[in-house]
Amino acid sequence: AKTTSGEHPLSRLWNQAKGHRSKIVAAVSFSFLNKLFDLAPPVLIGAAVDIVVEREESLFAQLGFKDPTEQLIALAVVTVIVWMLESVFEYLLEWTWRNLAQTIQHELRVEAYSHIQDLEMAYFHDQSTGSLMSILNDDINQLERFLDQGANDIIQVLTTAILVSGAFFYLAPNVAWMAMLPVPFILFGSFRFQRMLTERYADVRAKVGDLNGQLANNLTGIATIKSFTTEDYEAERITAVSEAYRQSNRSAIMLSAAFSPLIRMFIVVGFTATLIWGGKLALAGDLPVGTYSVLVFMTQRLLWPLTRLGRTFDLYQRAMASTRRVLDLLHTPITIASGEKHLEREKIKGAIQFHDVTFAYPDRDPILQNFSLEIPAGATIGLVGSTGSGKTTLINLLLRFYEPQDGKITIDGESLEELDMRDLRGAIGLVSQHTFLFHGSVEENVAYGTFSAKRERVLEVLDSAEASEFVDDLPDGVDTTVGERGETLSGGQRQRLSIARALLKDPPVLILDEATSAVDNETEAALQRSLDAISADRTTIVIAHRLSTVRNADMIVVLDGGTIAERGKHEELLEKGGIYARLWSVQTGEADAHRLSESA
């Protein structure tokens, strides 16, 4: 169903929960029936008074029970049945609402997380991890609390108001208006408070998102905080955002806490008016004593639950603020959509071509303009250049993390926009300079994405990635738990596991993005020896600052300012004496040696 952020959150939630509407209707019905039988005791008390006072003239006598004792027995039977039905419907409403709350909470969280995964990378540049975690946890939990408690409260208050008002005007219309006198003021105050609370709770949800964002950011960067001894500074920052959250909550609490005491003052007016005016009519004989007792009890049953409206509206407004944030996330448009054309992995050759591609990151100058590059199938291509020259951008575009503003990219002649996203990314193995390992064993991390891989194959790729030696030295070998983000391993060890993970995937296209940036010279030399084996029968793109990593590539492309400044083999580029030659001389120390000889 189509929804917009302009709609009321409750309407949007109803559209979102279309698969559970029958259960919602059932839950509402159980709440109504429970309250219906819950309101019966005052009527039964009135009937008991009627039997004692009127005897053979009572209501039960008119139903055929002439003897007062028989009337009391009949009343007792009705009372037991009413209490049993109230208990049955209370169980049903509790069971239905709670399970409904848990189910909707679960489905919303899974759907929201799945939607986040499908959003383009640009979206995450504008969002903090903590803010998204706040939506997936706090906001969805807030909605669950409302469905678990608040929804039933609202339905039962409405049921009470309708049934009791109807009974009042039926039994004693000349007294009913006095009991109803405070209701308009209560309702006006309730809706007024609701509008005032809406903005305050929206601010509360925003503030908790800021707090979670700062906490997540600090916990992720705890090593940096410790190394720069900024613990006091960060503690002050957390104190500041936490205090902003506290003050935002205080503003909402100050308003919501005033609701019940104010409503209570209106309630006492209606109750005392019924007590006095109804009592006078009963003393004068114009109102049956049994009816008077029913009215007194019913006034209390009508007006007293309204004191809970403050708590219920408080819960409701928090839930609506959270619902708006969750559904706004769910309806964030996916701007990079998957194509429908499937790639047969076995038939992919890996010929890649960039056709006049122009690309700029949001709110930045273009980093690529009319860029064209052809990478033959099975070739090993090195991409080098200074920071910001566009090397990693080419990889982001190839994986469709971003979409070019102009031009197109093809693989085996097929435009990436037309290809199924999973097939495209399944055909590309990426070893990023920012290695991420999950909390789990070495084997689980290497086999991530290739979950059916046998241990023998895992050991083979570990050997190819020059990782077998250090893995064998770990306490439990491939069964050793590496800790969250692989913090128990060195940077070079994490990168070697990342290379092994990509090799196990066995993709037609392999991308090594600064794959040797965190390894020592000895490990780099070992990886260089195995590069020929790694790149065999597949298209390999190697991005490197260390030019020794790409010296054996079939072609080296030198990028400068988003354009191709030079291209060729290692020896050809050295002979040209251009950018590549200067970089090579700096890295090998020849430039320094030359300057030293001149100064001598």
Side-chain angles (χ1 to χ4, degrees), residues 39 125 131 179 191-192 209-210 315 334 382 410 466 468 486 488 511:
L39 291 172
H125 290 174
S131 178
F191 289 117
R192 178 73 174 167
D210 294 341
L315 195 60
I334 298 171
T410 62
E466 301 285 341
S468 295
T488 61
I511 299 170

Side-chain angles (χ1 to χ4, degrees), residues 110-127:
V110 171
E111 187 177 353
Y113 172 75
S114 298
H115 185 73
I116 286 173
Q117 287 191 136
D118 291 336
L119 291 170
E120 62 283 356
M121 293 299 293
Y123 173 81
F124 297 94
H125 290 174
D126 300 325
Q127 302 289 328

